[in-house]
Amino acid sequence: MKPQLIIPVVLVVLLGLLGSMFVVREGQVGLVLNLGRVARTDLAPGLHFKIPLIETARVFDRRFQANEFPPERSLTSERKDVSVDFVAIGFIVDAADFYRATGGNEELVTDRLAPIIKDSLRNEINSQTLTELVSGNRAELIERQLPGINQGAKTLGMQVVDIRFKQIDLPTDSDVISQV
């Protein structure tokens, strides 16, 4: 082989090797796509290999994530209007389902989880009085709702472990403040 050809061949082989390796760090989960289809999933932390140009690797954060939601207005059982502001804490349990549901876009999680959580909480708030909601045991309220919420979150490859109320307000544009 001519000396002029050795350098380009070595460079091509080196680039091929570098393009076939990827790292999944601690607290992350990996996913390999073969021409856009999920080929391997739930890859543990470490060094992994893929076929260059045919397979692509996606890495997602598997640690707890806090998803904040805008305040939601609901009615209590006594027909009083309240505004509930909350945060959901969850993590990815299935990387393949997560990728299929969100396309790998981690910002879409909040948009997809919002209707699941809001519907569940709205039903629970509708069954309680204002006094029960404000001074009652919120941990029990959340504990009753988590199994149903996680059924819906499972389709997103997520699991919600806790929901925290940031604030329960009485809207200023309603009659509730004058009644209270």
Side-chain angles (χ1 to χ4, degrees):
M1 222 171 162
K2 294 183 179 182
Q4 298 93 356
L5 292 176
I6 292 175
I7 293 174
V9 170
V10 168
L11 279 174
V12 168
V13 169
L14 187 62
L15 288 174
L17 272 174
L18 291 176
S20 67
M21 294 185 289
F22 67 99
V23 175
V24 177
R25 301 198 187 299
E26 195 69 34
Q28 295 179 330
V29 62
L31 172 79
V32 175
L33 303 168
N34 187 333
L35 298 174
R37 282 195 176 144
V38 176
R40 290 175 282 158
T41 183
D42 293 326
L43 299 174
L47 180 64
H48 299 278
F49 296 93
K50 63 182 178 70
I51 302 169
L53 303 175
I54 295 174
E55 292 183 333
T56 57
R58 299 292 307 262
V59 178
F60 305 110
D61 193 356
R62 188 173 240 169
R63 296 176 295 178
F64 288 120
Q65 301 170 7
N67 297 307
E68 292 193 33
F69 299 93
E72 180 73 16
R73 290 179 78 154
S74 299
L75 292 174
T76 63
S77 63
E78 47 201 4
R79 313 301 287 165
K80 293 188 178 176
D81 199 17
V82 292
S83 178
V84 180
D85 197 5
F86 61 94
V87 174
I89 301 167
F91 62 97
I92 298 172
V93 290
D94 188 342
D97 287 344
F98 178 79
Y99 179 78
R100 287 184 192 109
T102 64
N105 187 347
E106 295 184 26
E107 283 114 31
L108 279 178
V109 172
T110 303
D111 297 338
R112 301 277 165 87
L113 273 178
I116 297 167
I117 295 172
K118 287 179 180 181
D119 288 344
S120 181
L121 288 180
R122 186 179 305 117
N123 291 337
E124 187 67 28
I125 290 169
N126 290 346
S127 68
Q128 295 196 355
T129 65
L130 182 62
T131 306
E132 291 172 339
L133 183 63
V134 173
S135 63
N137 190 351
R138 293 181 189 168
E140 286 178 13
L141 183 143
I142 298 304
E143 198 68 32
R144 286 193 302 265
Q145 296 306 308
L146 276 179
I149 290 170
N150 279 324
Q151 279 297 109
K154 188 176 183 180
T155 62
L156 300 174
M158 299 283 296
Q159 180 178 352
V160 177
V161 293
D162 197 11
I163 297 173
R164 293 291 172 169
F165 290 118
K166 291 178 12 182
Q167 198 168 342
I168 298 176
D169 279 335
L170 301 172
T172 57
D173 61 342
S174 69
D175 296 334
V176 178
I177 291 181
S178 62
Q179 294 171 2
V180 171

